[in-house]
Amino acid sequence: MNTIKTDILIIGAGLTGLTLAYYLKNLNISFKITEARPTIGGRIKTKYNTNQAPIELGATWLIEQQVAAIKLLKELNIRVFKQYYGKTAIYQPNQMQAAQLVKLPKTMQ
Ligand SMILES: Cc1cc2nc3c(=O)[nH]c(=O)nc-3n(C[C@H](O)[C@H](O)[C@H](O)COP(=O)(O)OP(=O)(O)OC[C@H]3O[C@@H](n4cnc5c(N)ncnc54)[C@H](O)[C@@H]3O)c2cc1C
């Protein structure tokens, strides 16, 4: 078993841990961060495919009320963009039912 000597130990390199690490680093406060999985990001997961747009398998959408996240994205120069909606969407209520094509309301288009 490894021993980590530090005043501040952040457990988990998901959004929370990494955000805390970012703010502590900005304040020149030293810390250590530990992550159980081989990758960082936690429940944020982007799948990169060859010759295809990347697919988000975790956190994807933001709403205006997520002010702290929006502030952080701006600070890090990470671009956000509006969700594009067409006139229809594929909707599958559950795995036992077939997917169906539904018309989206005008307010979403
Ligand atoms: C499919 C999916 C879609 C989502 N979509 C959205 C969305 O559109 N918009 C949105 O705002 N949110 C969305 N979320 C939620 C969002 O992903 C989470 O709220 C956010 O990522 C949580 O971050 P976190 O750092 O708090 O936790 P996590 O991301 O869970 O990070 C915790 C980290 O701690 C690590 N860990 C746990 N225990 C230990 C330990 N003992 N030692 C070391 N490491 C440990 C874990 O491995 C993990 O990496 C979605 C989540 C999922 C699963």
Short mmCIF file of all heavy atoms in Angstrom, two decimals, residues 1-5:
data_model
loop_
_atom_site.label_atom_id
_atom_site.label_comp_id
_atom_site.label_asym_id
_atom_site.label_seq_id
_atom_site.Cartn_x
_atom_site.Cartn_y
_atom_site.Cartn_z
N MET A 1 0.84 -1.20 0.00
CA MET A 1 0.00 0.00 0.00
C MET A 1 0.88 1.26 0.00
O MET A 1 1.85 1.32 0.72
CB MET A 1 -0.91 -0.02 1.23
CG MET A 1 -2.00 1.02 1.12
SD MET A 1 -3.34 0.80 2.33
CE MET A 1 -2.56 1.27 3.84
N ASN A 2 0.48 2.24 -0.83
CA ASN A 2 1.24 3.49 -0.90
C ASN A 2 0.81 4.46 0.21
O ASN A 2 -0.36 4.51 0.57
CB ASN A 2 0.98 4.19 -2.24
CG ASN A 2 1.64 3.45 -3.38
OD1 ASN A 2 2.51 2.61 -3.15
ND2 ASN A 2 1.22 3.76 -4.58
N THR A 3 1.75 5.21 0.72
CA THR A 3 1.43 6.26 1.70
C THR A 3 1.61 7.61 1.02
O THR A 3 2.63 7.85 0.36
CB THR A 3 2.39 6.16 2.91
OG1 THR A 3 2.31 4.84 3.43
CG2 THR A 3 2.01 7.16 3.99
N ILE A 4 0.59 8.46 1.12
CA ILE A 4 0.68 9.80 0.54
C ILE A 4 0.77 10.80 1.67
O ILE A 4 -0.11 10.84 2.54
CB ILE A 4 -0.55 10.10 -0.36
CG1 ILE A 4 -0.67 9.06 -1.47
CG2 ILE A 4 -0.45 11.50 -0.94
CD1 ILE A 4 -1.95 9.19 -2.30
N LYS A 5 1.86 11.59 1.65
CA LYS A 5 2.00 12.61 2.70
C LYS A 5 1.60 13.96 2.11
O LYS A 5 2.23 14.45 1.18
CB LYS A 5 3.44 12.67 3.19
CG LYS A 5 3.78 11.56 4.16
CD LYS A 5 5.09 11.82 4.84
CE LYS A 5 5.34 10.71 5.84
NZ LYS A 5 6.67 10.80 6.41
#
